[in-house]
Amino acid sequence: QVQLVESGGGLVKPGGSLRLSCAASGFTFSDYYMSWIRQAPGKGLEWVSYISSSGSTIKYADSVKGRFTVSRDNAKNSLYLQMDSLRAEDTAVYYCGRDGLPAGLYFDHWGQGALVTVSS
Amino acid sequence: EIVLTQSPGTLSLSPGERATLSCRASQSVNNNYLAWYQQKPGQAPRLLIYPASSRAAGIPDRFSGSGSGTDFTLTISRLEPEDFAVYYCQQCGTSPYTFGQGTKLEIK
């Protein structure tokens, strides 16, 4: 069955960096677009970034553009999110999500989430 | 950016009743690419409906979606105890891929 497992969350100071990973299994990872979606404590959902199946197309939400970098390694069935210049407002649970295909960007499978806390 | 407004913010109903949740977009949703998700406390969201009216795999037929353009509805025909949760809509056609603020469905 499809499994997505995030790791790498933790406590970081404002201005610091963190790298999240998402390990995928149970499907052909290289066939799917993947996204990061976040949820601040007690708040709603916010799409953060997507990367195409080959990695050639990437998009970001304006709130993270220039600070976050999404990447993938299809040989390792893994998705990554490099987060730099972190701010308090980046505090959230970060989910990786698989694009459901064939059209539009929606998420038919989600990981369990990784908590990122930005605080001094 | 397309803003999605969900109503009501909180819906209090009893098991066995019918629930109607609304999602209104600030502009037409491209090709009616709208999804509905359910989220329970401490869990990741689960896909219910996409696009607009098709149930995802394994979703009971008491869940149905309808609508087009800017107005969409999620209906739960007869509430089961496990249906009490927060529901989000998401437009999937135009970047940034925005979510509504959620409707909390609580037991009356």
Side-chain angles (χ1 to χ4, degrees):
Chain A
Q1 74 282 21
V2 173
Q3 272 205 309
L4 299 169
V5 180
E6 299 94 339
S7 60
L11 174 63
V12 61
K13 289 181 167 54
S17 297
L18 210 56
R19 189 194 197 207
L20 300 181
S21 300
C22 171
S25 60
F27 65 103
T28 305
F29 182 70
S30 57
D31 285 348
Y32 288 83
Y33 280 45
M34 297 293 295
S35 282
W36 290 98
I37 307 106
R38 68 183 180 183
Q39 186 170 36
K43 302 296 185 184
L45 299 163
E46 179 188 18
W47 168 79
V48 171
S49 178
Y50 85 70
I51 184 168
S52 64
S53 51
S54 66
S56 61
T57 302
I58 287 172
K59 279 200 171 182
Y60 298 98
D62 285 347
S63 58
V64 307
K65 201 174 295 183
R67 300 187 299 121
F68 289 13
T69 304
V70 65
S71 62
R72 64 190 296 160
D73 185 336
N74 286 344
K76 294 183 177 180
N77 292 336
S78 293
L79 174 72
Y80 306 102
L81 186 67
Q82 176 67 41
M83 302 183 292
D84 298 319
S85 303
L86 282 161
R87 307 166 180 167
E89 54 265 35
D90 295 319
T91 294
V93 173
Y94 285 73
Y95 297 100
C96 62
R98 188 184 83 164
D99 180 26
L101 297 177
L105 195 78
Y106 68 103
F107 314 111
D108 67 346
H109 287 89
W110 299 61
Q112 85 288 352
L115 177 61
V116 173
T117 303
V118 184
S119 175
S120 54
Chain B
E1 136 174 352
I2 297 178
V3 176
L4 300 180
T5 302
Q6 292 186 241
S7 60
T10 301
L11 186 57
S12 300
L13 294 171
S14 300
E17 291 193 292
R18 180 185 187 91
T20 303
L21 287 67
S22 173
C23 177
R24 179 162 291 178
S26 60
Q27 55 189 277
S28 186
V29 175
N30 188 21
N31 291 313
N32 295 326
Y33 286 163
L34 187 109
W36 289 95
Y37 302 89
Q38 176 193 68
Q39 188 178 33
K40 297 180 180 179
Q43 295 184 15
R46 176 175 72 145
L47 177 69
L48 298 175
I49 301 282
Y50 184 80
S53 60
S54 296
R55 277 186 301 278
I59 300 303
D61 61 8
R62 64 180 182 273
F63 290 91
S64 63
S66 62
S68 64
T70 60
D71 288 292
F72 298 87
T73 301
L74 175 70
T75 302
I76 311 171
S77 58
R78 294 172 310 279
L79 285 165
E80 297 287 343
E82 61 268 25
D83 298 336
F84 292 91
V86 179
Y87 292 83
Y88 294 96
C89 58
Q90 180 218 350
Q91 65 83 16
C92 316
T94 305
S95 178
Y97 304 95
T98 46
F99 291 84
Q101 84 281 13
T103 289
K104 181 180 181 180
L105 179 55
E106 65 176 24
I107 299 177
K108 188 173 182 180

